[in-house]
Amino acid sequence: MEITYIGYSLEMIRLLINSTYFKVICIITKEGVLSKGFKKKLISDNIYISEVDDNNIENIIKTRVCLIYKYRHIIKKNVIEQHVFFNIHPGSIRDNRGAHPVRWSILLGNKFTYMTLYRIMGIDEGEVIHECKLRI
């Protein structure tokens, strides 16, 4: 499956480009995430790289399916309607939405948190694909 990755996680980029399930066509990240050498390798592998740190990504996305992880901007509604977006959220979208959900879980004294994969239908809402419970 061809995907666009949107986010700031170098670990996720490495996992995705080494995956047998996905073919990364485009990476949208911020400057400083990719080293010059790694960026050069990705470009030589025909992966389009965009180092923008804003939410004006509608003309950059190169695939129908997008995966988001560790991205701080809200995807605009008109962009959501043009693509299929999946997000990995470090918390439950049922009761731990928004920024810094793990920090809030710790501050609230929770014993567990979650990692949630969901299809974006709006801000921190959508169809839950999988949720994994993790001990704090």
Side-chain angles (χ1 to χ4, degrees):
M1 174 184 297
E2 293 183 344
I3 65 165
T4 294
Y5 170 71
I6 304 168
Y8 311 137
S9 172
L10 182 58
E11 295 83 10
M12 182 61 75
I13 292 169
R14 290 186 190 280
L15 285 170
L16 290 171
I17 64 168
N18 291 317
S19 170
T20 57
Y21 300 105
F22 303 107
K23 179 176 170 126
V24 179
I25 302 297
C26 176
I27 296 171
I28 301 172
T29 191
K30 64 182 177 179
E31 192 172 339
V33 171
L34 305 172
S35 69
K36 288 181 183 180
F38 189 47
K39 183 177 175 181
K40 186 176 178 180
K41 182 205 178 306
L42 294 172
I43 291 169
S44 73
D45 289 341
N46 294 318
I47 298 174
Y48 179 82
I49 308 294
S50 179
E51 294 176 306
V52 297
D53 193 21
D54 59 35
N55 66 343
N56 294 313
I57 60 172
E58 56 266 21
N59 297 319
I60 301 171
I61 297 170
K62 304 293 182 196
T63 59
R64 173 100 173 107
V65 176
C66 303
L67 177 66
I68 301 171
Y69 179 61
K70 291 192 175 181
Y71 186 65
R72 69 179 174 192
H73 299 285
I74 296 170
I75 306 297
K76 296 174 187 174
K77 181 178 172 81
N78 68 313
V79 180
I80 290 172
E81 292 169 350
Q82 296 171 15
H83 303 276
V84 178
F85 284 93
F86 294 94
N87 185 40
I88 299 173
H89 178 73
S92 171
I93 64 168
R94 292 178 187 88
D95 59 10
N96 200 348
R97 300 178 181 191
H100 314 296
V102 175
R103 290 180 197 164
W104 279 109
S105 292
I106 293 168
L107 290 170
L108 293 171
N110 297 337
K111 304 272 188 228
F112 295 92
T113 190
Y114 297 85
M115 289 295 283
T116 305
L117 173 66
Y118 68 99
R119 181 171 175 187
I120 293 178
M121 304 296 187
I123 300 169
D124 282 345
E125 61 184 47
E127 176 188 356
V128 173
I129 307 300
H130 185 73
E131 190 172 74
C132 180
K133 188 174 183 179
L134 303 168
R135 183 179 298 278
I136 296 177

